[in-house]
Amino acid sequence: MARTPTALLSPADQERRRALRTMKTIALSALLVLAAVFVVSFALQGRYPWLAYVRAAAEGGMVGALADWFAVTALFRRPLGLPIPHTAIIPNRKDEIGRTLGEFVETNFLSGDVVRTKLESTEIASRLGAWLADPAHAERVTVEASAMASGVLRALSDDDVRSVLEDLAREHLIAPAWGPPLGGWLTRVVASGAHHHAVDLAADSIAAWLEGNRASFEGLVSRRLPSWVPRVAHRFVDDTVYKEAVTFVAAVRADPDHPARHAIDGYLARLAENLQHDPATIGRLEDAKVAVFDSPRVRELAGEAWNTVKTGLLAALGDPDSGLRRRASSALSEIGERLTTDAALQRRVDTWVSDAAVFLVDRYRHDIASIITDTVERWDPAETTEKIELMVGRDLQYIRLNGTIVGALAGLAIFSIATALLGT
C-alpha cells in the first residue's frame, strides 16, 4: 500500500507517523532480541540445563510477538502480501465499517430521548443569556449577523427581487377582490360612527382653506354671467358664494346633526352596500385597482423603493456607529439580561430549544447519520487505512509488546509446569 508523502501530511500526522515508527522499531527489536536469546539458549541448553527455561520463555515470547504482529497487521493490510482470508480488514470493509458507524451513531446518539435528556440537563437559556449580556459578545453577534445580512443583500438580484415582489403583489393584493372586504370594513366604520372624526377633520380643513383663500372665489361664478351685467353685480355674486360656503361649512362644524352629515352617512352606507353586492361597483373598483398596479410609474416606484431600502440597509449594516447596529447590540444585551433573570422565559426558551432539537433529530437523524456513511464511502481505501493507522497504530504496537511479554511468561510457565509434572 502506497504511503502518503510526509510533505502532504499535517504536522500532527507527521508526529504520529514518527511515534508509530518508533513503536514499530521497539516491538521488532523485542522480537529480534528474543530470537537471539532463543538461538543462544537452544544451543547451550545441553551444557547449561537452566537455559532450557530461558529457551522456553524466548520461544513463547516469539510466538506471542508473531501472533500479535499478524493480528495488528491484518487490520490494515495483508501480512507479507499474502492473500490470507480475513486480513486487510479496514481497506476491504471500509464501506461496511462506515455504514455500521453511521447506524451506531443514529441509534445511540441521534435519539430523541437522548437529545432531550442532554438538553434538559443543560441550562441553555441561562448560559446564552449570560453570554449575550456581555456587551462585547452582543457586539460580536451583531457584527457577524450584519456581515451575513450584507452578503445576502448583495447576492440578491434586483431584477429577481422586483419580480418576486410583483408576484407577491399580484397574488396577495391584485388577485383577491377588494370590494366585499372593503365594503364590510366600511359598514362597520359607519355603524360605529368612527368616520365622524374624519368628517370633522375635513370640515375644519375646508374652513381653514376658505379663510386663507378668499381670492380663489373671484370670478368663480361671475365669469359665467352675461357681459352686460355690471361689475358690481359680479363682485356681489362672488362675495355671496364665498359667504354661503363659509356659512355652510361653519354650520356643518357646529351641528353634529347637520343634514350634510346625514347625507355623508347615507352615501357611505350605500357605497358600503354596493361594494359588497353591486357587480358594477365592484367591477369599477377592480378595474381601478388593476390600472393602478399595472401602471409603469407604479412599477418604477416599487423598483426605486427596493433600491432605496437596499442601499440604506447596506449602509446601516456596514457602519459600526449606525443606529441599526447600536440598537441591535443593545437589544441583544437586553435579551441576554432577561434570559439570566426571567425564570419563566428561561423555561420557555429551554423547552422550545429541546422540542425543536428533538423534532429535527427524529425527522432527519437518518439523513444526518448518512453523512458518516457517505463520507466514508468517498474516502480512498489506502488513505483511510493510513489515517486510521496513524491514529491508533502506536497504541496497537503496545499490544505487540504486551504479547511478547505475555508469551514469554506463558512459555516459561508452561515449560516449568510440564517439567515439574512430567520430568525431563
Side-chain angles (χ1 to χ4, degrees):
M1 182 179 64
R3 291 281 183 174
T4 302
T6 302
L8 300 180
L9 295 175
S10 67
D13 282 344
Q14 292 180 21
E15 180 61 31
R16 294 188 184 101
R17 175 175 283 186
R18 285 192 292 269
L20 176 60
R21 286 175 175 172
T22 300
M23 287 304 305
K24 282 185 175 181
T25 301
I26 294 174
L28 178 60
S29 298
L31 174 61
L32 295 177
V33 168
L34 287 178
V37 170
F38 173 78
V39 171
V40 172
S41 60
F42 184 82
L44 299 177
Q45 66 180 347
R47 185 182 305 176
Y48 305 103
W50 59 269
L51 286 179
Y53 293 91
V54 176
R55 176 193 58 77
E59 187 176 11
M62 287 191 298
V63 172
L66 290 173
D68 286 342
W69 165 81
F70 182 90
V72 170
T73 303
L75 289 173
F76 305 104
R77 59 189 61 83
R78 296 188 183 280
L80 302 177
L82 300 175
I84 302 173
H86 304 294
T87 58
I89 295 174
I90 290 177
N92 289 335
R93 301 181 62 185
K94 171 180 67 68
D95 295 345
E96 182 179 349
I97 293 173
R99 287 192 297 272
T100 303
L101 180 60
E103 293 173 358
F104 177 79
V105 171
E106 179 180 353
T107 303
N108 296 278
F109 294 94
L110 299 179
S111 166
D113 293 337
V114 172
V115 172
R116 186 180 296 279
T117 300
K118 177 60 178 177
L119 292 178
E120 288 179 347
S121 64
T122 305
E123 297 178 349
I124 298 175
S126 178
R127 294 183 179 181
L128 176 62
W131 190 84
L132 281 178
D134 187 337
H137 294 161
E139 177 63 22
R140 178 181 174 185
V141 174
T142 303
V143 170
E144 297 298 333
S146 298
M148 292 177 59
S150 297
V152 171
L153 286 173
R154 290 191 177 93
L156 290 175
S157 168
D158 293 341
D159 292 337
D160 291 341
V161 171
R162 282 192 288 267
S163 177
V164 170
L165 292 177
E166 182 177 347
D167 292 341
L168 290 175
R170 288 190 177 279
E171 180 180 355
H172 299 287
L173 293 178
I174 301 177
W178 283 17
L182 184 59
W185 173 81
L186 186 57
T187 297
R188 292 190 293 272
V189 169
V190 173
S192 64
H195 65 292
H196 292 162
H197 296 292
V199 174
D200 293 339
L201 178 61
D204 293 341
S205 300
I206 293 173
W209 183 86
L210 289 172
E211 183 178 352
N213 294 274
R214 171 67 180 81
S216 299
F217 280 80
E218 295 180 1
L220 182 64
V221 177
S222 60
R223 71 168 60 97
R224 293 176 174 80
L225 296 175
S227 58
W228 50 266
V229 176
R231 300 295 299 176
V232 176
H234 285 213
R235 188 178 301 109
F236 175 76
V237 170
D238 290 337
D239 289 344
T240 300
V241 171
Y242 175 75
K243 291 177 181 178
E244 286 298 324
V246 171
T247 301
F248 175 78
V249 172
V252 172
R253 296 176 65 193
D255 184 6
D257 202 35
H258 194 278
R261 291 179 178 269
H262 292 300
I264 293 174
D265 292 346
Y267 169 77
L268 293 177
R270 290 192 300 274
L271 178 60
E273 181 68 19
N274 291 336
L275 285 172
Q276 296 179 81
H277 305 292
D278 181 27
T281 303
I282 295 174
R284 288 196 297 272
L285 177 63
E286 294 301 312
D287 291 341
K289 175 188 70 177
V290 173
V292 169
F293 279 99
D294 283 344
S295 169
R297 180 55 183 162
V298 171
R299 294 184 178 181
E300 182 180 347
L301 289 174
E304 293 176 356
W306 161 246
N307 290 332
T308 301
V309 171
K310 179 180 178 179
T311 302
L313 282 175
L314 287 174
L317 291 171
D319 182 7
D321 296 324
S322 67
L324 177 62
R325 292 272 293 266
R326 289 198 302 271
R327 283 192 289 271
S329 297
S330 177
L332 288 172
S333 295
E334 292 176 0
I335 292 173
E337 292 176 359
R338 282 199 60 195
L339 286 173
T340 58
T341 57
D342 190 336
L345 180 59
Q346 290 176 3
R347 288 192 296 271
R348 288 197 298 271
V349 172
D350 288 342
T351 300
W352 181 84
V353 171
S354 298
D355 292 343
V358 170
F359 170 79
L360 291 175
V361 166
D362 287 340
R363 189 176 183 87
Y364 299 107
R365 65 179 183 176
H366 180 71
D367 297 323
I368 297 172
S370 67
I371 295 175
I372 299 175
T373 303
D374 297 341
T375 302
V376 173
E377 287 179 353
R378 289 194 299 269
W379 286 351
D380 177 71
E383 183 179 357
T384 302
T385 301
E386 183 174 6
K387 286 286 187 182
I388 296 176
E389 185 176 14
L390 290 177
M391 292 297 297
V392 301
R394 181 173 180 272
D395 294 325
L396 292 178
Q397 299 309 311
Y398 281 105
I399 295 178
R400 292 178 58 186
L401 283 177
N402 293 337
T404 302
I405 297 172
V406 171
L409 295 176
L412 178 60
I414 293 173
F415 181 76
S416 299
I417 294 172
T419 302
L421 295 178
L422 301 177
T424 59

